[in-house]
Amino acid sequence: AVFCGNPVQMETDNVAGATYRWLRDGQPVGTNSPILAADQPGEYLVEVTTPCGTQISAAPVQITGETLQPPVALNGERCG
């Protein structure tokens, strides 16, 4: 179900040179970007791999409708 044509924007830290993998209910969605327009309900999370290979993740966020979403906080160590 699309949220009346108004996706919920999810955003996390922009880590220079990192790759981003967004998941909805465990399935990849979106692109390699720190921003995702969530247009389906579900549990979202982002996995970030820094240029030195460190993986950082965020706690899952449940999206149920048109809600304002605060930035997604990354947990983990970042390289220099």
Side-chain angles (χ1 to χ4, degrees):
V2 175
F3 300 145
C4 301
N6 298 314
V8 176
Q9 181 169 301
M10 301 181 67
E11 184 173 354
T12 192
D13 298 339
N14 188 357
V15 179
T19 58
Y20 298 84
R21 182 174 181 239
W22 290 91
L23 303 167
R24 182 184 75 233
D25 298 328
Q27 298 300 312
V29 294
T31 61
N32 179 21
S33 171
I35 299 171
L36 175 73
D39 61 358
Q40 299 285 320
E43 184 177 80
Y44 287 82
L45 65 91
V46 62
E47 297 172 341
V48 180
T49 303
T50 66
C52 61
T54 303
Q55 290 195 346
I56 305 170
S57 62
V61 175
Q62 188 71 36
I63 300 293
T64 58
E66 289 184 56
T67 57
L68 295 176
Q69 178 58 41
V72 177
L74 294 176
N75 303 312
E77 294 293 320
R78 300 179 193 185
C79 61

